[in-house]
Amino acid sequence: MASKIPVNDLISIEREGDIALICIDNPPVNATGQAVRQGLQEAIEQLNEDGAAKAIAIYAAGRTFVAGADIREFGKPPQAPNLPDVYNVIEDSDIPVVAIMHGTALGGGLELGLAAHARVGIEGLRVGLPEINLGLLPGAGGTQRVPRLAGIPMALDMSLSGRMVGAQEALEKGLIDRLETGDPRDLALAAAQDIIDGKLLARPTCSLDTPKDDKTLDDTAAMLKAKQAHMFSPHKIVEAVRASYLPRTEGLKIERQAFWDSMQTPQRAGMIHAFFGERAVSNIPEAKGDTREINKIGVIGGGTMGSGIATSCLMAGIPVRLIEVAQDGLDRGVATITKNLEGGVKRGKLSEARKDAALASLQPSLSMEDLADVDLVIEAVFESMDVKKDIFGKLNTICKDGAILASNTSYLNVNDIAECTDRPQDVLGLHFFSPAHVMRLLEIVQGAKTAPDVLATGFALAKRLKKVGVLAQVCDGFIGNRILAHYLKTASYLVLDGASPQQVDDALEGFGFAMGPNKVGDLAGLDIGWANRKRTAATRNPEDRYGGDVADRICENGWFGRKTGQGFYIYGNGAPIPNPEVAKIIDEVRAEKGITPQEFTDQDIVDRYMTAMIVEATRVVEEGIAKRPLDVDMVFLFGYGFPRHRGGPLHYADTIGAAELVRRITEYAKEDARYWQVPALLQKMADDGSTFADLNK
C-alpha cells in the first residue's frame, strides 16, 4: 500500500500506479466542514495540475461516506470555499472521478457523489436530500444533478420528502452506477481501474439533459399551492428542479438563490431550532450518570395505550410481559400488538424475522405476580387515581428490589402514586403519547423522591425506544397537557363568542397545524376531555368562565367523535362535514348565557389561540415544571403536532416579541380579566427586551 500524502488534517492523497485515491477522514460522519471542502478542492486541483493519474477515486474512512454538512457551522458566516464551487471543480476535472459511497450519503454527501463522473455504492448504502427538514433545499447541485440522472419525479420526491433511499432503489433509479460489497478503499481502486479500462463509464452529470416532465412539475406545484401554501422551501424546490432544464451555470445560480432565500425565512430558523432542540433536550445532568439495567419490561393494561407501549418496547428488542385482568382484554391486547408489528413490516420499519422475534418475546399473563422478575413496570390503565394506587400498592409487594415502577398517567400526581409504596425513590412518570409505538414524545416525570439513577434510566429508555425524552416536574397535566388544557379553553371561548368550530379548525390548519383542535378532539375521543372536566369540576373556581358547555352537551348525546361516527363533525366514507346538530347546541348555549355572537377573522383566531398557549407555557417555565423553554417547544413539536417550521410555541413567541404579547393579553383582559393575565416572566421580558432563547443558554 502506498503511503498517504496529507492535503490537510482531514483529506489525503494516495497513489497506486495510474490511480489516485482521495480519502476523507473527518470523524464521526465525515461532514463537509470548511477543511474538508478546502482539502477536496486542493486535492483535485493538485492531481489535475500534476496530470499523472488516469483516474481519481474518492472514498471515506470510518463507518460512513459523507453524512451531510457540519452542524457546527450552522448559523455562522459562510467560509470559503463554498460547496457548489468545490463540486464544480470535481465535475470539471479533466481526470475522471469516481465516488465510492458507503453507509449514508446525505445532503452534501450525496451531492458530492453526484458531482463525480461515476458512483459506486456499497451494500447497505442509504442516500437522501434531507434539507427540507431544516426549511431549506439542496444547495450544492442536488436539484440540478438528480433530475439529470434519475428524472424529475425522483428529484421532487427526494427533495420534498427528505426520505432516505436504499441502495437498490438508488441503483434502479440511476443515482449510482454499481452496487457492490467490500472495503471502500479496495472498491475505490477497482472502480478507478475499471474507468481506465473502459469498463465503467465516466461522464459529468451536468453534461446530461434532464428528461422533460413539465406535467409532474406543474402538478406538484399545484399540489403544494393547495396543501402547503404557508410553506416556503417546498415551492422553491420545484422552481430549482425546473431550472435543471437549463445549462449547469444557470441552473445552479437559480438553485443557490432559492437556497439563500430559504435561509432568510423564519421557517428555516424554526426548523433549525427544532433540529438542535431535539438533541439538546436530553443534554441535561438529570439524563446522565448511572442507570439501572433494563432487560425485561412489564406493561399493565392491554388497551390502545398499553399495547402501543408494549409494541414500542418489543420493536426496540426488549422482552415484554403484558398484564390484563381478563382473558378477552388480554387477547385484544395481543391482537393489537401483532397488528402494530405487522404494520411496522409493511412500512419497512421491521423485517419479518424481527417481527417474529418480537412476538416470541411477548409474554401475556393474567397474573400480576408474573411481574416479579421484570426490571421496569409501566402501568397504563385508565386515569383513575384509586385504580392506580391499588396497582402500585400491589407492585410494591410483587416487584423485586431495584425494579422501577412507572405510571403512564397523563395528568395525575406521581407523588401521590409513589406514596402508595415504601419505595418512592423507584417511582416516576413515563407519559407516552398515543399511538405510543409511533409518537416520539416521552414526558419523563420526576417525582419528589425519584432517585437520580431512576431518572437517568428513563432517559436511557427513551433513547433506546428512539423517542424524544423531556424532563417534566409534577403538576396536573405536566408540561403538555397542562398547557393544552389552558389554550383549549380559548378554542371553546372563540366558538361561544361567535366563531364556528370549522372556522377555528380552518384558521389553525392555515397556521400550520395538521388538524384543528375540534378535529383533534373528535379523533382522540371527546369523552376523554369530558371525563377530565368532570374529574376537575370540584376544583373549578366558579368565578372562572367555563368553556366546556358545548363539548359536554355533544358528549351527553353519546357523540364522542370518530369512534361514534359524529362529534363536532360527521364521519362517513368521505371527508368529515360539520355536524349541523352542533350548530344548534352552540346557538342554545349562547342564548342561555346571553352571548351576542361577534365576528372573528382567521388571524384573530390564531392570535388568541397562540397567545393563550404562550401564556401557559410561560407559566410552566416560570414555575420550573419545564426546565427550559426549548423543553416546552420539543413537547409540542413531538407530541402535539405543533408546526415544525414555527419551532415550538416559545420559539414562535420570540418572533412576536414579549412586548406585543403583553399588549395582546392586556387587550383581551378587557373581556375576561381572570383568564387573560400577564405572567411575571413575560412582563419582565417585555421590560428588559430579553427572549425565551436567552433562557435556553
Side-chain angles (χ1 to χ4, degrees), residues 475-501:
C475 72
D476 196 76
F478 316 123
I479 297 174
N481 280 342
R482 169 174 163 176
I483 298 170
L484 174 76
H486 183 78
Y487 69 77
L488 283 185
K489 291 179 183 177
T490 291
S492 299
Y493 297 159
L494 283 162
V495 168
L496 286 174
D497 292 339
S500 70

PDB file of all heavy atoms in Angstrom, residues 475-501:
ATOM      1  N   CYS A 475     -47.203  18.319  38.131  1.00  0.00           N
ATOM      2  CA  CYS A 475     -48.349  19.227  38.251  1.00  0.00           C
ATOM      3  C   CYS A 475     -49.464  18.576  37.455  1.00  0.00           C
ATOM      4  O   CYS A 475     -49.226  17.585  36.760  1.00  0.00           O
ATOM      5  CB  CYS A 475     -48.036  20.641  37.730  1.00  0.00           C
ATOM      6  SG  CYS A 475     -47.892  20.739  35.939  1.00  0.00           S
ATOM      7  N   ASP A 476     -50.654  19.084  37.543  1.00  0.00           N
ATOM      8  CA  ASP A 476     -51.765  18.473  36.816  1.00  0.00           C
ATOM      9  C   ASP A 476     -51.547  18.622  35.310  1.00  0.00           C
ATOM     10  O   ASP A 476     -51.592  19.722  34.777  1.00  0.00           O
ATOM     11  CB  ASP A 476     -53.091  19.131  37.203  1.00  0.00           C
ATOM     12  CG  ASP A 476     -54.287  18.286  36.770  1.00  0.00           C
ATOM     13  OD1 ASP A 476     -54.550  17.277  37.430  1.00  0.00           O
ATOM     14  OD2 ASP A 476     -54.917  18.639  35.763  1.00  0.00           O
ATOM     15  N   GLY A 477     -51.272  17.510  34.634  1.00  0.00           N
ATOM     16  CA  GLY A 477     -51.049  17.537  33.195  1.00  0.00           C
ATOM     17  C   GLY A 477     -49.607  17.703  32.784  1.00  0.00           C
ATOM     18  O   GLY A 477     -49.297  17.715  31.588  1.00  0.00           O
ATOM     19  N   PHE A 478     -48.687  17.862  33.757  1.00  0.00           N
ATOM     20  CA  PHE A 478     -47.255  18.003  33.481  1.00  0.00           C
ATOM     21  C   PHE A 478     -47.016  19.187  32.531  1.00  0.00           C
ATOM     22  O   PHE A 478     -47.554  20.263  32.770  1.00  0.00           O
ATOM     23  CB  PHE A 478     -46.668  16.688  32.972  1.00  0.00           C
ATOM     24  CG  PHE A 478     -47.149  15.502  33.774  1.00  0.00           C
ATOM     25  CD1 PHE A 478     -47.803  14.442  33.189  1.00  0.00           C
ATOM     26  CD2 PHE A 478     -46.992  15.489  35.162  1.00  0.00           C
ATOM     27  CE1 PHE A 478     -48.274  13.379  33.940  1.00  0.00           C
ATOM     28  CE2 PHE A 478     -47.463  14.435  35.932  1.00  0.00           C
ATOM     29  CZ  PHE A 478     -48.107  13.384  35.317  1.00  0.00           C
ATOM     30  N   ILE A 479     -46.225  19.011  31.479  1.00  0.00           N
ATOM     31  CA  ILE A 479     -45.959  20.141  30.572  1.00  0.00           C
ATOM     32  C   ILE A 479     -47.067  20.260  29.532  1.00  0.00           C
ATOM     33  O   ILE A 479     -47.811  21.234  29.484  1.00  0.00           O
ATOM     34  CB  ILE A 479     -44.590  19.988  29.869  1.00  0.00           C
ATOM     35  CG1 ILE A 479     -43.450  20.016  30.886  1.00  0.00           C
ATOM     36  CG2 ILE A 479     -44.415  21.121  28.844  1.00  0.00           C
ATOM     37  CD1 ILE A 479     -42.080  19.730  30.289  1.00  0.00           C
ATOM     38  N   GLY A 480     -47.180  19.250  28.695  1.00  0.00           N
ATOM     39  CA  GLY A 480     -48.059  19.341  27.525  1.00  0.00           C
ATOM     40  C   GLY A 480     -49.525  19.459  27.846  1.00  0.00           C
ATOM     41  O   GLY A 480     -50.210  20.372  27.366  1.00  0.00           O
ATOM     42  N   ASN A 481     -50.050  18.547  28.650  1.00  0.00           N
ATOM     43  CA  ASN A 481     -51.489  18.548  28.914  1.00  0.00           C
ATOM     44  C   ASN A 481     -51.916  19.716  29.793  1.00  0.00           C
ATOM     45  O   ASN A 481     -53.061  20.170  29.711  1.00  0.00           O
ATOM     46  CB  ASN A 481     -51.926  17.216  29.532  1.00  0.00           C
ATOM     47  CG  ASN A 481     -52.080  16.141  28.479  1.00  0.00           C
ATOM     48  OD1 ASN A 481     -52.183  16.436  27.293  1.00  0.00           O
ATOM     49  ND2 ASN A 481     -52.068  14.888  28.892  1.00  0.00           N
ATOM     50  N   ARG A 482     -50.996  20.199  30.634  1.00  0.00           N
ATOM     51  CA  ARG A 482     -51.342  21.397  31.405  1.00  0.00           C
ATOM     52  C   ARG A 482     -51.539  22.585  30.457  1.00  0.00           C
ATOM     53  O   ARG A 482     -52.519  23.329  30.579  1.00  0.00           O
ATOM     54  CB  ARG A 482     -50.247  21.711  32.418  1.00  0.00           C
ATOM     55  CG  ARG A 482     -50.461  23.097  33.036  1.00  0.00           C
ATOM     56  CD  ARG A 482     -49.519  23.421  34.141  1.00  0.00           C
ATOM     57  NE  ARG A 482     -49.509  24.850  34.404  1.00  0.00           N
ATOM     58  CZ  ARG A 482     -48.836  25.425  35.378  1.00  0.00           C
ATOM     59  NH1 ARG A 482     -48.098  24.681  36.198  1.00  0.00           N
ATOM     60  NH2 ARG A 482     -48.868  26.731  35.541  1.00  0.00           N
ATOM     61  N   ILE A 483     -50.613  22.773  29.549  1.00  0.00           N
ATOM     62  CA  ILE A 483     -50.723  23.886  28.593  1.00  0.00           C
ATOM     63  C   ILE A 483     -51.930  23.681  27.693  1.00  0.00           C
ATOM     64  O   ILE A 483     -52.696  24.612  27.415  1.00  0.00           O
ATOM     65  CB  ILE A 483     -49.426  24.024  27.782  1.00  0.00           C
ATOM     66  CG1 ILE A 483     -48.253  24.344  28.716  1.00  0.00           C
ATOM     67  CG2 ILE A 483     -49.560  25.106  26.708  1.00  0.00           C
ATOM     68  CD1 ILE A 483     -46.885  24.259  28.056  1.00  0.00           C
ATOM     69  N   LEU A 484     -52.121  22.447  27.241  1.00  0.00           N
ATOM     70  CA  LEU A 484     -53.253  22.106  26.373  1.00  0.00           C
ATOM     71  C   LEU A 484     -54.581  22.465  27.031  1.00  0.00           C
ATOM     72  O   LEU A 484     -55.462  23.068  26.401  1.00  0.00           O
ATOM     73  CB  LEU A 484     -53.213  20.615  26.050  1.00  0.00           C
ATOM     74  CG  LEU A 484     -54.400  20.034  25.269  1.00  0.00           C
ATOM     75  CD1 LEU A 484     -54.291  20.419  23.797  1.00  0.00           C
ATOM     76  CD2 LEU A 484     -54.429  18.505  25.401  1.00  0.00           C
ATOM     77  N   ALA A 485     -54.727  22.101  28.300  1.00  0.00           N
ATOM     78  CA  ALA A 485     -55.993  22.367  28.993  1.00  0.00           C
ATOM     79  C   ALA A 485     -56.300  23.855  29.017  1.00  0.00           C
ATOM     80  O   ALA A 485     -57.465  24.260  28.964  1.00  0.00           O
ATOM     81  CB  ALA A 485     -55.921  21.812  30.416  1.00  0.00           C
ATOM     82  N   HIS A 486     -55.248  24.677  29.083  1.00  0.00           N
ATOM     83  CA  HIS A 486     -55.465  26.131  29.139  1.00  0.00           C
ATOM     84  C   HIS A 486     -55.866  26.680  27.773  1.00  0.00           C
ATOM     85  O   HIS A 486     -56.887  27.362  27.639  1.00  0.00           O
ATOM     86  CB  HIS A 486     -54.199  26.821  29.637  1.00  0.00           C
ATOM     87  CG  HIS A 486     -54.360  28.308  29.786  1.00  0.00           C
ATOM     88  ND1 HIS A 486     -55.019  28.875  30.853  1.00  0.00           N
ATOM     89  CD2 HIS A 486     -53.979  29.340  28.990  1.00  0.00           C
ATOM     90  CE1 HIS A 486     -55.024  30.192  30.723  1.00  0.00           C
ATOM     91  NE2 HIS A 486     -54.397  30.495  29.593  1.00  0.00           N
ATOM     92  N   TYR A 487     -55.073  26.374  26.736  1.00  0.00           N
ATOM     93  CA  TYR A 487     -55.368  27.032  25.458  1.00  0.00           C
ATOM     94  C   TYR A 487     -56.586  26.451  24.756  1.00  0.00           C
ATOM     95  O   TYR A 487     -57.192  27.115  23.916  1.00  0.00           O
ATOM     96  CB  TYR A 487     -54.146  27.082  24.542  1.00  0.00           C
ATOM     97  CG  TYR A 487     -53.657  25.771  23.957  1.00  0.00           C
ATOM     98  CD1 TYR A 487     -54.303  25.149  22.899  1.00  0.00           C
ATOM     99  CD2 TYR A 487     -52.475  25.191  24.425  1.00  0.00           C
ATOM    100  CE1 TYR A 487     -53.825  23.979  22.345  1.00  0.00           C
ATOM    101  CE2 TYR A 487     -51.989  24.021  23.870  1.00  0.00           C
ATOM    102  CZ  TYR A 487     -52.667  23.410  22.832  1.00  0.00           C
ATOM    103  OH  TYR A 487     -52.190  22.249  22.277  1.00  0.00           O
ATOM    104  N   LEU A 488     -56.971  25.214  25.106  1.00  0.00           N
ATOM    105  CA  LEU A 488     -58.208  24.683  24.525  1.00  0.00           C
ATOM    106  C   LEU A 488     -59.423  25.469  25.013  1.00  0.00           C
ATOM    107  O   LEU A 488     -60.461  25.488  24.347  1.00  0.00           O
ATOM    108  CB  LEU A 488     -58.371  23.198  24.843  1.00  0.00           C
ATOM    109  CG  LEU A 488     -57.519  22.236  24.006  1.00  0.00           C
ATOM    110  CD1 LEU A 488     -57.875  20.790  24.337  1.00  0.00           C
ATOM    111  CD2 LEU A 488     -57.684  22.481  22.507  1.00  0.00           C
ATOM    112  N   LYS A 489     -59.292  26.109  26.187  1.00  0.00           N
ATOM    113  CA  LYS A 489     -60.382  26.973  26.643  1.00  0.00           C
ATOM    114  C   LYS A 489     -60.596  28.113  25.649  1.00  0.00           C
ATOM    115  O   LYS A 489     -61.736  28.508  25.377  1.00  0.00           O
ATOM    116  CB  LYS A 489     -60.069  27.541  28.026  1.00  0.00           C
ATOM    117  CG  LYS A 489     -60.075  26.509  29.147  1.00  0.00           C
ATOM    118  CD  LYS A 489     -59.716  27.169  30.476  1.00  0.00           C
ATOM    119  CE  LYS A 489     -59.652  26.148  31.599  1.00  0.00           C
ATOM    120  NZ  LYS A 489     -59.235  26.775  32.880  1.00  0.00           N
ATOM    121  N   THR A 490     -59.492  28.643  25.107  1.00  0.00           N
ATOM    122  CA  THR A 490     -59.627  29.719  24.123  1.00  0.00           C
ATOM    123  C   THR A 490     -60.382  29.244  22.897  1.00  0.00           C
ATOM    124  O   THR A 490     -61.224  29.964  22.351  1.00  0.00           O
ATOM    125  CB  THR A 490     -58.230  30.251  23.723  1.00  0.00           C
ATOM    126  OG1 THR A 490     -57.668  30.939  24.831  1.00  0.00           O
ATOM    127  CG2 THR A 490     -58.319  31.209  22.556  1.00  0.00           C
ATOM    128  N   ALA A 491     -60.095  28.019  22.437  1.00  0.00           N
ATOM    129  CA  ALA A 491     -60.827  27.476  21.294  1.00  0.00           C
ATOM    130  C   ALA A 491     -62.315  27.394  21.612  1.00  0.00           C
ATOM    131  O   ALA A 491     -63.173  27.716  20.771  1.00  0.00           O
ATOM    132  CB  ALA A 491     -60.283  26.097  20.925  1.00  0.00           C
ATOM    133  N   SER A 492     -62.635  26.977  22.842  1.00  0.00           N
ATOM    134  CA  SER A 492     -64.044  26.896  23.253  1.00  0.00           C
ATOM    135  C   SER A 492     -64.665  28.286  23.362  1.00  0.00           C
ATOM    136  O   SER A 492     -65.814  28.507  22.935  1.00  0.00           O
ATOM    137  CB  SER A 492     -64.150  26.185  24.604  1.00  0.00           C
ATOM    138  OG  SER A 492     -63.643  24.875  24.520  1.00  0.00           O
ATOM    139  N   TYR A 493     -63.919  29.238  23.930  1.00  0.00           N
ATOM    140  CA  TYR A 493     -64.432  30.602  24.070  1.00  0.00           C
ATOM    141  C   TYR A 493     -64.703  31.225  22.699  1.00  0.00           C
ATOM    142  O   TYR A 493     -65.694  31.942  22.513  1.00  0.00           O
ATOM    143  CB  TYR A 493     -63.445  31.487  24.828  1.00  0.00           C
ATOM    144  CG  TYR A 493     -63.165  31.070  26.260  1.00  0.00           C
ATOM    145  CD1 TYR A 493     -62.008  31.489  26.910  1.00  0.00           C
ATOM    146  CD2 TYR A 493     -64.063  30.275  26.976  1.00  0.00           C
ATOM    147  CE1 TYR A 493     -61.742  31.120  28.221  1.00  0.00           C
ATOM    148  CE2 TYR A 493     -63.806  29.904  28.288  1.00  0.00           C
ATOM    149  CZ  TYR A 493     -62.633  30.326  28.901  1.00  0.00           C
ATOM    150  OH  TYR A 493     -62.375  29.958  30.198  1.00  0.00           O
ATOM    151  N   LEU A 494     -63.811  30.964  21.747  1.00  0.00           N
ATOM    152  CA  LEU A 494     -63.996  31.513  20.404  1.00  0.00           C
ATOM    153  C   LEU A 494     -65.292  31.016  19.782  1.00  0.00           C
ATOM    154  O   LEU A 494     -66.019  31.766  19.124  1.00  0.00           O
ATOM    155  CB  LEU A 494     -62.806  31.134  19.510  1.00  0.00           C
ATOM    156  CG  LEU A 494     -61.517  31.939  19.743  1.00  0.00           C
ATOM    157  CD1 LEU A 494     -60.317  31.207  19.150  1.00  0.00           C
ATOM    158  CD2 LEU A 494     -61.645  33.334  19.134  1.00  0.00           C
ATOM    159  N   VAL A 495     -65.605  29.732  20.015  1.00  0.00           N
ATOM    160  CA  VAL A 495     -66.855  29.168  19.482  1.00  0.00           C
ATOM    161  C   VAL A 495     -68.050  29.791  20.188  1.00  0.00           C
ATOM    162  O   VAL A 495     -69.045  30.172  19.551  1.00  0.00           O
ATOM    163  CB  VAL A 495     -66.851  27.635  19.622  1.00  0.00           C
ATOM    164  CG1 VAL A 495     -68.243  27.061  19.344  1.00  0.00           C
ATOM    165  CG2 VAL A 495     -65.828  27.023  18.672  1.00  0.00           C
ATOM    166  N   LEU A 496     -67.977  29.915  21.503  1.00  0.00           N
ATOM    167  CA  LEU A 496     -69.084  30.528  22.234  1.00  0.00           C
ATOM    168  C   LEU A 496     -69.311  31.975  21.799  1.00  0.00           C
ATOM    169  O   LEU A 496     -70.448  32.438  21.709  1.00  0.00           O
ATOM    170  CB  LEU A 496     -68.803  30.488  23.735  1.00  0.00           C
ATOM    171  CG  LEU A 496     -68.935  29.131  24.433  1.00  0.00           C
ATOM    172  CD1 LEU A 496     -68.477  29.246  25.881  1.00  0.00           C
ATOM    173  CD2 LEU A 496     -70.373  28.623  24.374  1.00  0.00           C
ATOM    174  N   ASP A 497     -68.213  32.666  21.492  1.00  0.00           N
ATOM    175  CA  ASP A 497     -68.313  34.104  21.226  1.00  0.00           C
ATOM    176  C   ASP A 497     -68.595  34.450  19.773  1.00  0.00           C
ATOM    177  O   ASP A 497     -68.762  35.629  19.455  1.00  0.00           O
ATOM    178  CB  ASP A 497     -67.028  34.808  21.673  1.00  0.00           C
ATOM    179  CG  ASP A 497     -66.870  34.800  23.191  1.00  0.00           C
ATOM    180  OD1 ASP A 497     -67.887  34.628  23.879  1.00  0.00           O
ATOM    181  OD2 ASP A 497     -65.733  34.955  23.671  1.00  0.00           O
ATOM    182  N   GLY A 498     -68.646  33.442  18.881  1.00  0.00           N
ATOM    183  CA  GLY A 498     -69.062  33.774  17.522  1.00  0.00           C
ATOM    184  C   GLY A 498     -68.455  32.981  16.390  1.00  0.00           C
ATOM    185  O   GLY A 498     -69.019  32.932  15.296  1.00  0.00           O
ATOM    186  N   ALA A 499     -67.297  32.367  16.602  1.00  0.00           N
ATOM    187  CA  ALA A 499     -66.695  31.568  15.532  1.00  0.00           C
ATOM    188  C   ALA A 499     -67.360  30.196  15.483  1.00  0.00           C
ATOM    189  O   ALA A 499     -67.902  29.717  16.479  1.00  0.00           O
ATOM    190  CB  ALA A 499     -65.200  31.410  15.777  1.00  0.00           C
ATOM    191  N   SER A 500     -67.326  29.557  14.335  1.00  0.00           N
ATOM    192  CA  SER A 500     -67.809  28.177  14.244  1.00  0.00           C
ATOM    193  C   SER A 500     -66.638  27.241  14.509  1.00  0.00           C
ATOM    194  O   SER A 500     -65.470  27.619  14.317  1.00  0.00           O
ATOM    195  CB  SER A 500     -68.379  27.894  12.854  1.00  0.00           C
ATOM    196  OG  SER A 500     -67.331  27.863  11.888  1.00  0.00           O
ATOM    197  N   PRO A 501     -66.901  26.004  14.959  1.00  0.00           N
ATOM    198  CA  PRO A 501     -65.805  25.051  15.151  1.00  0.00           C
ATOM    199  C   PRO A 501     -64.972  24.867  13.884  1.00  0.00           C
ATOM    200  O   PRO A 501     -63.749  24.748  13.958  1.00  0.00           O
ATOM    201  CB  PRO A 501     -66.525  23.755  15.543  1.00  0.00           C
ATOM    202  CG  PRO A 501     -67.814  24.214  16.155  1.00  0.00           C
ATOM    203  CD  PRO A 501     -68.206  25.435  15.383  1.00  0.00           C
TER     204      PRO A 501
END
